[in-house]
Structure formats: C-alpha cells, structure tokens
Amino acid sequence: MDFLKSAIGSAIAKGGGLPFSLGDRVDIGDSVWALHNGTKRDDGSACSVFAFDVNANKSRLPLAKNAVRKSRTLRHPGVIKVLDTIETEHNLYIVTERVVPLSWPVKRRSLSEETAKWGLYTVAFTAPCAHPRCS
C-alpha cells in the first residue's frame, strides 16, 4: 500500500496528475507561498495556484498545512474562492480563482479610495455571523 501511495504522490508531484497546469510565477514578495498563474485542465479556465515547497520550508510546514485546511472551509462573499487544495509529498497547492497581488494596483495607484472602502466594507459587514443568536 505504501508503494502505491508513493507512486501516486510522485506522479502528482511531477505535474502529471494535477488538475491544473502551472504558468508564470507572480512575484508576491517575502511569502513562503509562490503564486503562479494557472490553467484548469478540465475546462481551460484561468486560475491561480499558491504553491508551498515542503523541502525548502520545513519549519513552516505546520503553518502551511493549517492554511490549506482553513482554505477548504473558507466561505465568504467578497473573499477569494478556493477551487481545490492538493497535498503531495513535496508540495502543497491551493488553487483559487484568478487573482493578482493587492500591491499591484496600490503601487500603480489604480485602486480608487471608493473601491478600497467598498472592499473593506464587504469583507467586514457581509460575513455570516458564527454567534448562536445570529442563526
């Protein structure tokens, strides 16, 4: 059984079994996650892939695994939509709708003040409340 698990993990790590293809890397600074443009294999639609290299960041592996676990349950309007999560022996992947780093429009000053306010408002005030009285 371990041989089969190892063989499948190896095939996935090489990209053969992944449900997406990795494209160009998008620079996001000092993060342990590498952001790539991607394409979903099933329908050819654009996606983004956050990749974590286990071997290069062993000390941060628990943090990355927690991020993968949390991203599976993240359901919030106005926040990134997670399409899939994949864990292999050498990498962790979070596949999302296509995104760009927020620093890009901020640096280009193409994000208006009204847009920034609306984004903060939608994230802060449209979240479903977890308190029992709100159900």
Side-chain angles (χ1 to χ4, degrees):
M1 187 66 160
D2 287 333
F3 172 75
L4 180 61
K5 184 178 177 183
S6 175
I8 291 171
S10 177
I12 289 175
K14 292 179 182 172
L18 295 174
F20 58 86
S21 59
L22 283 178
D24 299 333
R25 181 175 174 165
V26 179
D27 187 21
I28 59 171
D30 295 334
S31 177
V32 295
W33 292 92
L35 176 60
H36 293 267
N37 289 328
T39 306
K40 290 177 25 182
R41 292 191 194 274
D42 58 354
D43 62 1
S45 63
C47 64
S48 289
V49 180
F50 292 85
F52 178 84
D53 185 352
V54 173
N55 296 327
N57 299 296
K58 285 189 189 240
S59 65
R60 302 267 178 126
L61 183 58
L63 180 68
K65 284 192 174 198
N66 187 49
V68 169
R69 185 175 50 81
K70 292 288 187 184
S71 70
R72 288 182 188 139
T73 60
L74 182 66
R75 301 284 184 265
H76 188 293
V79 177
I80 189 171
K81 182 178 178 184
V82 176
L83 305 175
D84 199 1
T85 59
I86 300 157
E87 294 185 45
T88 68
E89 190 175 320
H90 302 288
N91 293 294
L92 302 176
Y93 299 103
I94 301 174
V95 184
T96 68
E97 62 188 329
R98 180 60 63 93
V99 297
V100 296
L102 183 59
S103 62
W104 290 6
V106 170
K107 285 179 183 174
R108 284 187 258 139
R109 300 192 190 281
S110 63
L111 190 65
S112 71
E113 185 176 336
E114 291 79 21
T115 302
K117 286 177 184 177
W118 178 250
L120 290 171
Y121 174 82
T122 57
V123 170
F125 295 109
T126 60
C129 183
H131 193 273
R133 285 188 272 165
C134 297
S135 301

